[in-house]
């Protein structure tokens, strides 16, 4: 008998189904409806993009772990989550090679070089997206199409943005002629802090929505159900919300983060009367709040930390939209607050049970010696 | 004081492990056979070690004191059988550390314990009760094994106004306190009244989790007509039986970090200890046997046994029909805080509340991954510590940081590891950190 007895330290029980893999699987499940909806709205293009993203992510992780001599962890599905989330942040006409470069940046640089899942400072999908904004490739991420544009090009036909002489148009990869017009996303109607009529801002470009109101802007039905233009994953607020509720119910994500982000944003837009209804349902706020900001690794671990982080993101998104008209505000905000999360965890004090009179901030003892494990891109002060 | 989801009193944090109490909760306490040899560890308490009072070849009687120390924080040990001292030797104890044991070969015919006629229970003074507790070798029988007479001697400036009987039994599988309440309610009440007497406290509370409503009913009728005593039903949650959590749940008082319950005027005693105090005062019986639960899916006949201290695990498992299935872990104590055994040779001690055989299907051994910072351990930690950072600091050998994140306040309940998706054995790291901090302080 003796040789089969395990003598590991207590506790000897583990919570059922509480594993990294199951959590990642939950995220993939929660995102599935929104992905299917994107296929319906934008055609098979979406499938091609997601497939390239996932395959590249898997290969990048395999390769990096091989090079760095770490054990392979593809089974934890975290690379698949990153791949899907990254695809969700792209316009449905992003060329596949841009997808591959982007997801390589996400997985190889922002995850594996930092030390792998758990050691990464930034949400890899968000970080790669932010990097793409600042690369010349950014132009590929700026062209959006109307829902059901595939009615003119064919459901299965791959369509990608192409750039010549600095002007982006669309190209039919099957070799045929494409007759697709670029369309403005609902959020892009907000410029310089004002919600404009479509023709003022876009000239001859139509606004990408199936149903519009009297002023020519997408109405609530288009915005909420996802009959609008935008990135692959952000269009259907309804499906994102349902998936998010599923994740909260499964305790994969902490409700404080989405509630804090969306609540803060909504309150600020109410106070300033910054198109509270319209802007709330446009853009990537829901995708970011439920699926990106809630990333375990890059959000704070304490409850009070989560509140600070969530309110911070909500306020930053608002500021970026209000003052700078940045449509990529959600990604930028989360990116910035990913560092905030580490700082919050270390310096915002959490009183222990029965402890009174603790200050608001921790005073961290200085590091006695460099942390034994060092990671190429992980700065020393983060340890 | 906090009301949980069920409306019963509870604390913040904690977990809901699978309880599996039904395996043994209906089994009446039976006496385990006296083993042909007992191995009685000389020191079974927290505090100064005992010296042996007997030597090889000596005859010892049942309940004879065989080990003691002059130090205040110590509790003597008594022979649990009548027999002959075979040797005094080191054996591997249930924690894996070597323990000096008095090995006694038991006589073929074991005498029954002779009750000594004592005084009226009401007539004991607090001094006398403390002396009795000490003489009888009483320690906390919930597992911590802190000498009872020390607990009964609170600092002069911190009077105790409330005695709490810890009848929570929040560890999954274990049912020995539950059975004791069902079978010996009036002895428990007598024990509680002696504890009130010894401390001068006015109020006595028996805290029971809501999964033992039959015990609640029985204890409520047992305290009928005692205005100072009450029975409180508590939400089922682990680790509600931890002293600080129990006090907080029942009274709302919070024991500060590093302090004892007397800081907030409370004394907590386990069911077994209260009954043992009654036995010591009324019958002159020292603590040489205890009720424990032998259970788990790997035990043929899960039972609640009255077993002699020093009985080897193997004898008790055998008394319950032996092992069935594929045992993956044999545990002394409960599944959350107990000690996994490499074999079945360790003897039980005063603080042993159970023996558990877990089969492979209930033992979930994941491989330890990098912390993914999910914060689940932080959410469940009843001490509001940052288990993930303690682990990180321990891995890096940063002892001052480990202390800052709360390593010294961790009472190793295991909630964090239970709920950690990365399967990190926090308790292992915490112990390492505690040792590291202590070593760093020594300089
Ligand atoms: S539960 Fe485990 S993975 Fe999550 S933060 Fe705590 S130690 Fe890290
Ligand atoms: S850190 Fe210690 S007290 Fe907190 S949950 Fe883990 S074992 Fe329990």
């Amino acid at each position: 008998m003796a040789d089969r007895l395990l003598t590991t330290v207590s506790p000897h029980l583990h919570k059922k189904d509480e594993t990294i893999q199951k959590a990642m699987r939950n995220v993939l499940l929660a995102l599935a409806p929104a992905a299917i909806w994107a296929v319906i709205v934008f055609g098979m293009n979406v499938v091609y993009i997601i497939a390239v993203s996932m395959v590249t992510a898997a290969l990048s992780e395999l390769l990096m772990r091989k090079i760095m001599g770490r054990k392979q962890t593809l089974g934890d599905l975290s690379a698949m989550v990153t791949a899907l989330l990254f695809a969700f942040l792209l316009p449905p006409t992003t060329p596949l090679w841009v997808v591959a470069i982007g997801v390589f940046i996400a997985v190889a640089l922002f995850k594996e070089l930092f030390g792998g899942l758990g050691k990464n400072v930034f949400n890899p999908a968000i970080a790669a997206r932010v990097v793409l904004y600042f690369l010349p490739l950014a132009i590929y991420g700026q062209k959006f199409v109307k829902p059901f544009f595939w009615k003119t090009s064919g459901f299965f036909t791959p369509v990608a943005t192409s750039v010549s002489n600095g002007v982006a148009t669309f190209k039919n990869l099957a070799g045929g002629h494409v007759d697709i017009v670029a369309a403005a996303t609902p959020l892009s109607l907000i410029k310089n802090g004002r919600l404009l009529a479509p023709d003022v801002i876009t000239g001859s470009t139509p606004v990408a929505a199936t149903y519009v109101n009297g002023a020519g802007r997408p109405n609530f039905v288009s915005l909420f159900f996802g009959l609008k233009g935008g990135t692959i994953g952000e269009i259907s607020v309804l499906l994102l919300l349902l998936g998010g509720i599923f994740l909260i119910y499964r305790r994969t994500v902490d409700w404080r983060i989405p509630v804090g982000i969306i609540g803060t944003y909504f309150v600020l837009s109410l106070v300033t009367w910054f198109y509270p209804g319209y802007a709330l349902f446009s853009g990537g706020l829901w995708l970011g709040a439920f699926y990106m900001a809630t990333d375990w690794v890059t959000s704070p671990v304490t409850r009070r930390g989560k509140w600070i982080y969530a309110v911070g993101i909500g306020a930053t998104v608002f500021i970026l939209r209000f003052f700078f008209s940045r449509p990529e505000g959600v990604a930028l905000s989360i990116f910035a607050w990913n560092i905030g999360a580490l700082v919050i965890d270390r310096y915002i004090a959490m009183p222990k049970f029965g402890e009174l009179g603790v200050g608001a901030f921790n005073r961290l003892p200085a590091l006695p010696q460099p942390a034994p494990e060092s990671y190429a891109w992980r700065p020393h002060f983060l340890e | 004081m906090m009301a949980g989801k069920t409306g019963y009193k509870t604390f913040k944090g904690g977990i809901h492990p699978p309880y599996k109490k039904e395996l043994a909760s209906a089994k009446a306490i039976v006496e385990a056979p006296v083993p042909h040899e007992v191995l009685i560890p000389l020191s079974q308490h927290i505090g100064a070690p005992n010296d042996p009072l007997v030597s090889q070849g000596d005859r010892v009687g049942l309940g004879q004191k065989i080990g003691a120390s002059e130090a205040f924080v110590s509790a003597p040990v008594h022979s649990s059988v009548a027999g002959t001292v075979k040797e005094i030797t080191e054996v591997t104890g249930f924690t894996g550390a070597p323990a000096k044991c008095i090995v006694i070969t038991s006589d073929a015919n074991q005498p029954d314990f002779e009750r000594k006629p004592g005084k009226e229970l009401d007539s004991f003074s607090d001094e006398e009760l403390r002396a009795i507790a000490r003489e009888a070798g009483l320690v906390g029988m919930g597992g911590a094994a802190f000498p009872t007479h020390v607990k009964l001697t609170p600092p002069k400036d911190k009077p105790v106004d409330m005695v709490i009987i810890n009848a929570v039994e929040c560890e999954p599988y274990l049912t020995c306190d539950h059975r004791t309440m069902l079978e010996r309610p009036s002895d428990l009440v007598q024990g509680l009244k002696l504890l009130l007497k010894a401390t001068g406290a006015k109020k006595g509370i028996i805290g029971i989790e809501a999964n033992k409503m039959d015990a609640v009913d029985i204890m409520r009728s047992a305290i009928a007509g005692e205005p100072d005593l009450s029975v409180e039903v508590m939400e089922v949650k682990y680790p509600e039986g931890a002293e600080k959590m129990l006090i907080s749940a029942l009274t709302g008082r919070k024991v500060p970090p590093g302090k004892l319950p007397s800081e907030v005027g409370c004394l907590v005693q386990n069911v077994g200890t209260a009954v043992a105090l009654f036995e010591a005062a009324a019958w002159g019986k020292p603590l040489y046997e205890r009720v424990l639960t032998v259970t788990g899916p790997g035990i043929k006949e899960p039972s609640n046994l009255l077993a002699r201290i020093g009985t080897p695990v193997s004898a008790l498992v055998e008394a319950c029909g032996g092992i069935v299935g594929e045992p993956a872990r044999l545990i002394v104590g409960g599944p959350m805080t107990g000690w996994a055994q490499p074999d079945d040779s360790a003897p039980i001690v005063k603080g042993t509340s159970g023996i558990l055989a877990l089969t492979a299907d209930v033992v979930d051994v994941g491989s330890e991954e990098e912390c993914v910072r999910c914060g689940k351990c932080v959410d469940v930690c009843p001490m509001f510590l940052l288990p993930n950072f303690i682990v990180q600091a321990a891995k890096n050998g940063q002892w001052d940081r480990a202390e800052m994140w709360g390593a010294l306040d961790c009472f190793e309940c295991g909630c964090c590891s239970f709920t950690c998706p990365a399967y990190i054995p926090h308790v292992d790291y915490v112990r390492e950190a505690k040792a590291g901090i202590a070593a760093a302080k020594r300089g």
Side-chain angles (χ1 to χ4, degrees), chain A residues 179-326:
Chain A
D179 194 12
I180 302 164
V181 276
T185 63
L187 192 64
S188 65
L189 297 187
I190 296 179
K191 268 268 147 60
N192 303 324
R194 298 198 35 222
L195 179 58
L196 303 171
D199 47 341
V200 176
I201 173 76
T202 58
S204 57
T205 313
V207 62
T210 304
Y211 302 106
V212 292
N213 61 15
R217 289 186 209 111
N219 66 5
F220 177 75
V221 173
S222 292
L223 292 176
F224 188 72
F225 292 97
L227 292 159
K228 65 185 182 213
T231 69
I232 290 173
E234 77 185 14
I235 51 176
S236 177
V237 173
L238 173 69
L239 295 179
L240 291 173
L241 185 61
L242 289 179
I245 290 170
F246 167 75
L247 289 181
I248 289 170
Y249 171 73
R250 284 291 183 91
R251 302 280 169 101
T252 304
V253 312
D254 194 310
W255 60 270
R256 290 167 185 82
I257 294 178
V259 167
I261 293 176
I262 293 170
T264 304
Y265 181 86
F266 187 61
V267 167
L268 287 176
S269 59
L270 267 186
V271 171
T272 55
W273 203 248
F274 184 63
Y275 317 107
Y278 185 84
L280 187 64
F281 296 110
S282 312
L285 189 64
W286 297 78
L287 180 61
F290 277 99
Y291 302 93
M292 312 263 186
T294 53
D295 174 19
W296 283 349
V297 183
T298 56
S299 58
V301 294
T302 64
R303 286 181 174 163
R304 62 169 67 180
K306 283 176 179 146
W307 279 121
I308 298 172
Y309 167 86
V311 170
I313 291 178
T316 313
V317 171
F318 180 81
I319 289 167
L320 287 176
R321 281 190 184 173
F322 190 90
F323 293 108
F324 304 104
S325 316
R326 301 296 298 218

Side-chain angles (χ1 to χ4, degrees), chain A residues 5-12, chain B residues 41 92-96 142-143 171-174 290 292-295 299 310-314 316-317 329-358 431:
Chain A
L5 289 179
L6 295 169
T7 54
T8 45
V9 74
S10 61
H12 308 289
Chain B
T92 307
F94 70 97
T95 62
E171 271 272 7
Y173 290 94
L174 303 186
R290 68 157 297 155
L292 54 81
T293 311
V294 182
T295 182
I299 296 284
T311 310
V313 168
S314 53
L316 294 172
V317 169
R329 274 182 186 146
L330 185 64
I331 296 160
V332 167
M336 294 303 294
T337 58
W339 299 78
Q341 304 295 307
D343 54 38
D344 54 6
S345 66
I348 62 151
V349 297
K350 295 172 187 172
T352 306
S353 42
I355 293 170
L356 218 57
L358 298 183
R431 288 189 187 143

Side-chain angles (χ1 to χ4, degrees), chain B residues 239 377 380-387 390 406-407 409-417 426-427 430:
Chain B
C377 55
V380 297
C381 178
M383 290 300 293
F384 313 155
L385 311 176
L386 287 144
I390 299 176
D409 298 296
C410 167
F411 60 92
E412 303 176 11
C413 66
C415 290
C416 43
S417 307
H426 300 73
V427 174
V430 163

Side-chain angles (χ1 to χ4, degrees), chain A residues 23-377:
Chain A
M24 296 294 168
R25 204 194 54 193
N26 284 348
V27 177
L28 292 176
L29 277 178
L31 289 170
I36 293 168
W37 179 247
V39 176
I40 293 169
V41 172
F42 298 129
M44 283 300 280
N45 241 23
V46 170
V47 175
Y48 307 144
I49 289 177
I50 292 176
V52 166
S53 184
M54 287 190 164
V55 171
T56 315
L59 291 177
S60 311
E61 184 174 306
L62 270 174
L63 181 76
M64 288 302 283
R65 292 213 157 232
K66 184 109 197 142
I67 293 173
M68 301 178 97
R70 297 207 194 99
K71 74 169 176 181
Q72 293 296 345
T73 51
L74 267 185
D76 69 17
L77 298 180
S78 67
M80 294 301 104
V81 169
T82 297
L84 190 57
L85 285 177
F86 181 72
F88 269 29
L89 291 169
L90 300 171
T93 54
T94 311
L96 297 179
W97 61 273
V98 175
V99 177
I101 291 177
V103 87
F104 177 79
I105 293 175
V107 173
L109 303 188
F110 282 103
K111 199 171 89 180
E112 294 306 328
L113 262 195
F114 272 86
L117 183 72
K119 287 284 181 186
N120 52 309
V121 174
F122 301 103
N123 178 320
I126 290 271
R129 188 72 188 94
V130 168
V131 165
L132 283 197
Y133 287 132
F134 296 104
L135 288 184
L137 295 177
I139 194 162
Y140 292 104
Q142 285 164 358
K143 280 281 162 200
F144 290 91
V145 285
K146 276 187 134 181
F148 307 109
F149 75 94
W150 49 265
K151 281 181 180 156
T152 54
S153 62
F155 186 75
F156 292 94
T157 319
V159 170
T161 307
S162 83
V163 180
S164 60
N165 300 328
V167 180
T169 50
F170 301 108
K171 153 169 117 196
N172 183 340
L173 296 183
H177 170 73
V178 254
D179 194 12
I180 302 164
V181 276
T185 63
L187 192 64
S188 65
L189 297 187
I190 296 179
K191 268 268 147 60
N192 303 324
R194 298 198 35 222
L195 179 58
L196 303 171
D199 47 341
V200 176
I201 173 76
T202 58
S204 57
T205 313
V207 62
T210 304
Y211 302 106
V212 292
N213 61 15
R217 289 186 209 111
N219 66 5
F220 177 75
V221 173
S222 292
L223 292 176
F224 188 72
F225 292 97
L227 292 159
K228 65 185 182 213
T231 69
I232 290 173
E234 77 185 14
I235 51 176
S236 177
V237 173
L238 173 69
L239 295 179
L240 291 173
L241 185 61
L242 289 179
I245 290 170
F246 167 75
L247 289 181
I248 289 170
Y249 171 73
R250 284 291 183 91
R251 302 280 169 101
T252 304
V253 312
D254 194 310
W255 60 270
R256 290 167 185 82
I257 294 178
V259 167
I261 293 176
I262 293 170
T264 304
Y265 181 86
F266 187 61
V267 167
L268 287 176
S269 59
L270 267 186
V271 171
T272 55
W273 203 248
F274 184 63
Y275 317 107
Y278 185 84
L280 187 64
F281 296 110
S282 312
L285 189 64
W286 297 78
L287 180 61
F290 277 99
Y291 302 93
M292 312 263 186
T294 53
D295 174 19
W296 283 349
V297 183
T298 56
S299 58
V301 294
T302 64
R303 286 181 174 163
R304 62 169 67 180
K306 283 176 179 146
W307 279 121
I308 298 172
Y309 167 86
V311 170
I313 291 178
T316 313
V317 171
F318 180 81
I319 289 167
L320 287 176
R321 281 190 184 173
F322 190 90
F323 293 108
F324 304 104
S325 316
R326 301 296 298 218
E328 63 272 38
V330 175
L332 281 175
S333 312
I334 296 175
F335 184 74
W337 280 92
N338 281 169
I339 294 206
L342 288 182
V343 176
I344 290 168
D345 272 347
R346 280 166 179 70
Y347 293 99
I348 300 293
M350 203 176 71
K352 294 167 195 154
F353 176 91
E355 195 172 43
L356 293 173
V358 257
F361 301 103
N362 282 329
R363 246 191 263 146
L364 256 65
L367 284 177
Q369 81 247 355
E373 259 184 294
S374 54
Y375 296 96
W377 283 34

Side-chain angles (χ1 to χ4, degrees), chain B residues 162-237:
Chain B
M162 202 182 289
V163 172
I164 298 171
I165 294 294
N166 185 352
V168 170
E169 202 160 53
C170 59
E171 271 272 7
Y173 290 94
L174 303 186
T175 54
C176 52
D177 291 350
H178 185 186
R179 287 312 307 182
T180 305
M181 285 190 282
L182 294 182
E183 296 176 31
R184 303 182 62 186
S186 63
D187 293 353
L188 175 56
V189 173
Q190 294 299 336
L192 172 54
K193 285 162 82 177
L194 291 173
L195 287 168
L196 290 178
K197 192 88 189 246
T199 52
K202 288 281 153 306
K203 243 181 109 184
I205 305 181
I206 303 173
I208 307 176
E209 273 188 350
N211 55 3
K212 294 180 268 291
M213 291 313 275
D214 49 349
V216 171
D217 292 341
I218 285 189
M219 290 317 299
R220 282 211 166 124
S221 45
I223 59 162
E226 306 269 4
D228 300 335
L229 306 185
S230 63
V231 172
E232 293 283 358
V233 188
M234 306 177 71
E235 188 178 322
V236 183
K237 192 159 74 168

